[in-house]
Amino acid sequence: MYNLIIIIQILSFFFIYKSISQYSFTFKEVVSWLAIFVLIGFVSAYFIGVWGAITLFFCFLGISYFKSHKTLTALGFFYGAYALVINSFIGYLAADPITRLIEFVFRPFSADVDYLPYLVTAMAPPVINEAGLRLVRRYVPQLNKVTLQESGKFILFPVTVLFIVIIISVYPILTIGNSSGEFKAFHRTLLISMWLLFVAALLYMQFQYNRIQRRETAKAKGEQLEQLKDYTAQLEKIYDDFRGFRHDYANILLTLEEGIYREDWQQVKQVYEQTVKPTGLLLRKNEYSFVKLRNLHVSEVKSILAAKIMMAQQMQTDVTLEIEEPIYLIHMELVPFIRILSILLDNAIEAAAMTEEARIWIVLLEDSAVQRIKITNSSGEQLSLRRLGERGYSSKGKGRGLGLFNVQQILQENNFASLETEAKSALFSQTLILRKTGERQ
C-alpha cells in the first residue's frame, strides 16, 4: 500500500503540471511520460524521501523543452516549480481535514482504514488544483503565454525564484514531519507563512501582467490613432484623384465621341493611350486597396491593414485587398488576432519585397461557419513547411524565426482558430481560419 501511495503522489505532480501548463498530450505521450515519472520518482523517493520530488522538476523541464520546440523557456521553469509547490501545500493543508473526515465516517466500522487517509490525501492535490484553476479561469481573464514569456524578466523570473525559495524552505520541514510523525507549532507557522508567500507570488504575477497589458493597450491605441490618421490622409488623396478625373471625364468622352463619329481611329487610339489607359493603371495602384476597407467595420483591424498596406507601398510592393462582404466583428479576441495578423502581414511584405514581382494578396472571407483571412505573397524562397513555427527557424538567417513561433503559441491557447500554410508556383500563402463557435469581439 505504501508503494501505491508513492505512485499516486508521483502522478499527482504530473497532473498538476498538465493542468497549469495546458499542454496537449497524445495518449502515447501521456503513457510514456507517466512511465518515466513513476520510474524516476519511485526510485528517488525510495532513496531520498520527499526530496525525490526535485527529480520530477527536471522531468517537467524536459516536457517543456519538447513542447516548446526544443527550447528551455521561463514558462517551463515556472510550470515545474508551480507543480512542486502546489502539490506539497495542498497535500499538507488537506491532510488533517481528510484524516478527521475519514475517522468520523468509518468510526462505526471495525475495518482497518489506517492507510485510507494517506491514499485520499495523495489524490487530493490534483483534484483541488484542477477545481481551483477552473474557477480562476472562469472569473479571471487568462494570462497570455506569449506576453508572459516575453515579460519573463519582470514576471516569471522573480516568481519562479520565489517558488524555488519556498521549496527549499518547505521540504526540510516536510522531511522532519515525515520522520517524526508530527509538526511542531513553529514548523506549522513557517509552512503557513510559505503558503501565504506563494499566494503573494501569484498575486504579484497577476499585478505585473495587468500593468504590462495596460501599457501595451495604451501603446496600441496610440499607434491605432496614427494609423487611422494615415488612413484618412490616403482616403483624401483618393478623393482628390477622383475629383480631378471627374473634371476631365466629360472632355474625354467628347473627344472620343468626336473621333468615333469621324471614324478617326488614330485620334481614338491617341485618347485611349494618353487618358483612358493611365486612368486604368491609376485605379489599380495600391492606394485603391484602401477603398475595399469600407467593408471592414472593426476599426482596430482596419487601422492595422491600412498601416501594412502603406508599408508595402513604401517597399514598392503591389497589394490587392478583397473584402467583398461587410465584416462587423472578428471571431477571436482582438489582441491576439491583431498580433497574429501583424506577424503574418509583416512576413508577407518582407518576403514579397525580395522578389521581382513583389505582390501581396489579402482576402477576408466569411460564411455561416467560419471567417478566413488569407494572405498570399510572391516568394522566391524555399521553405520547409514542416519546420515553420519552430522557434528560430527562418530562411533569413540567425536571430529570426520568432514571429511564426509566437503565432503557434497564441493558436495553442485558442481552440477555435487554426492556420493553414501552402507554398506553390512561387507563391506562399497562409490562411487564418476562425470558427464562429469561438470568442467574439
Side-chain angles (χ1 to χ4, degrees):
M1 186 56 64
Y2 173 75
N3 292 338
L4 176 61
I5 292 173
I6 291 179
I7 292 174
I8 292 175
Q9 288 177 330
I10 293 169
L11 298 181
S12 294
F13 284 104
F14 176 81
F15 286 110
I16 290 174
Y17 172 83
K18 184 177 182 297
S19 182
I20 184 64
S21 66
Q22 292 189 301
Y23 287 137
S24 59
F25 292 88
T26 64
F27 178 77
K28 183 178 179 180
E29 286 176 330
V30 171
V31 172
S32 300
W33 279 113
L34 287 181
I36 293 172
F37 265 65
V38 171
L39 178 62
I40 294 176
F42 190 82
V43 172
S44 59
Y46 182 80
F47 286 104
I48 56 178
V50 295
W51 287 96
I54 301 298
T55 61
L56 300 181
F57 176 76
F58 295 100
C59 292
F60 294 138
L61 292 184
I63 295 177
S64 296
Y65 176 77
F66 287 106
K67 289 296 183 181
S68 301
H69 306 284
K70 296 184 178 181
T71 304
L72 282 177
T73 64
L75 270 174
F77 282 90
F78 169 78
Y79 293 148
Y82 175 92
L84 263 63
V85 173
I86 202 71
N87 190 69
S88 301
F89 272 123
I90 292 181
Y92 168 74
L93 293 175
D96 283 347
I98 288 175
T99 300
R100 292 193 182 96
L101 178 62
I102 290 176
E103 289 176 350
F104 174 78
V105 172
F106 288 93
R107 185 178 300 167
F109 306 96
S110 58
D112 182 11
V113 292
D114 291 342
Y115 67 88
L116 196 55
Y118 299 100
L119 190 63
V120 177
T121 300
M123 293 187 292
V127 176
I128 297 175
N129 174 73
E130 179 66 24
L133 287 179
R134 285 180 180 271
L135 189 65
V136 169
R137 286 166 180 158
R138 180 173 181 179
Y139 296 104
V140 178
Q142 292 193 45
L143 278 60
N144 183 273
K145 289 184 179 180
V146 176
T147 301
L148 283 175
Q149 187 65 48
E150 293 179 348
S151 307
K153 181 179 178 181
F154 303 101
I155 300 179
L156 295 176
F157 178 75
V159 171
T160 303
V161 169
L162 194 56
F163 282 4
I164 293 173
V165 170
I166 292 173
I167 292 169
I168 295 174
S169 302
V170 167
Y171 273 54
I173 301 174
L174 295 178
T175 303
I176 295 172
N178 287 345
S179 61
S180 64
E182 62 179 8
F183 293 96
K184 295 181 180 180
F186 169 73
H187 292 155
R188 291 183 180 277
T189 301
L190 186 58
L191 285 173
I192 295 299
S193 299
M194 291 296 103
W195 170 251
L196 294 175
L197 191 60
F198 170 72
V199 174
L202 294 181
L203 292 175
Y204 165 82
M205 185 171 69
Q206 182 71 49
F207 170 78
Q208 288 288 3
Y209 178 84
N210 290 340
R211 186 177 66 85
I212 291 172
Q213 285 290 87
R214 287 194 297 269
R215 186 178 62 195
E216 289 186 352
T217 300
K219 180 181 177 182
K221 287 182 177 179
E223 292 175 350
Q224 180 186 344
L225 180 61
E226 292 300 318
Q227 291 161 357
L228 288 175
K229 287 180 180 178
D230 293 337
Y231 172 58
T232 302
Q234 288 290 338
L235 290 181
E236 291 175 353
K237 182 178 182 300
I238 292 171
Y239 175 74
D240 290 340
D241 290 342
F242 273 111
R243 186 173 58 180
F245 173 75
R246 185 181 61 182
H247 181 269
D248 298 331
Y249 183 68
N251 292 332
I252 293 173
L253 289 180
L254 287 174
T255 305
L256 282 173
E257 182 181 29
E258 180 184 353
I260 291 171
Y261 281 142
R262 292 192 295 107
E263 297 186 354
D264 187 349
W265 306 120
Q266 184 63 32
Q267 179 182 345
V268 172
K269 181 178 179 181
Q270 182 179 3
V271 171
Y272 172 78
E273 292 289 341
Q274 292 180 355
T275 59
V276 178
K277 186 175 181 180
T279 300
L281 295 175
L282 178 69
L283 293 174
R284 287 194 294 270
K285 285 176 62 180
N286 285 334
E287 286 88 344
Y288 293 92
S289 292
F290 286 97
V291 176
K292 297 295 182 69
L293 286 173
R294 72 185 186 280
N295 279 335
L296 181 58
H297 300 275
V298 184
S299 59
E300 295 88 347
V301 180
K302 179 184 288 188
S303 64
I304 286 293
L305 284 174
K308 299 306 179 183
I309 292 172
M310 283 184 282
M311 180 191 299
Q313 278 185 281
Q314 295 169 1
M315 299 177 71
Q316 305 301 312
T317 300
D318 289 330
V319 179
T320 300
L321 177 66
E322 296 295 336
I323 310 175
E324 298 301 330
E325 300 295 332
I327 294 178
Y328 295 97
L329 53 85
I330 299 297
H331 294 267
M332 183 178 180
E333 291 182 8
L334 276 179
V335 172
F337 173 80
I338 289 174
R339 186 162 193 157
I340 291 175
L341 183 63
S342 297
I343 290 172
L344 297 182
L345 288 172
D346 286 341
N347 288 349
I349 292 169
E350 187 174 358
M354 297 172 64
T355 65
E356 184 176 351
E357 186 179 5
R359 291 206 64 184
I360 294 175
W361 296 262
I362 306 169
V363 181
L364 276 70
L365 300 172
E366 183 168 19
D367 58 34
S368 60
V370 298
Q371 281 182 332
R372 288 182 174 86
I373 299 90
K374 185 174 184 179
I375 301 171
T376 305
N377 61 271
S378 54
S379 174
E381 300 175 331
Q382 295 296 324
L383 295 173
S384 171
L385 297 186
R386 181 180 59 84
R387 295 191 61 195
L388 277 179
E390 288 186 14
R391 185 183 182 94
Y393 174 72
S394 174
S395 63
K396 303 178 181 67
K398 295 183 178 180
R400 308 295 294 273
L402 292 179
L404 287 179
F405 172 77
N406 287 337
V407 168
Q408 294 298 334
Q409 294 292 101
I410 295 172
L411 291 177
Q412 284 179 6
E413 300 180 39
N414 193 305
N415 296 326
F416 302 98
S418 59
L419 185 67
E420 292 183 353
T421 303
E422 185 180 8
K424 63 179 181 180
S425 303
L427 294 177
F428 179 82
S429 67
Q430 292 195 291
T431 305
L432 181 63
I433 300 174
L434 307 179
R435 292 180 292 280
K436 294 187 177 182
T437 49
E439 294 289 335
R440 295 190 173 196
Q441 291 292 335

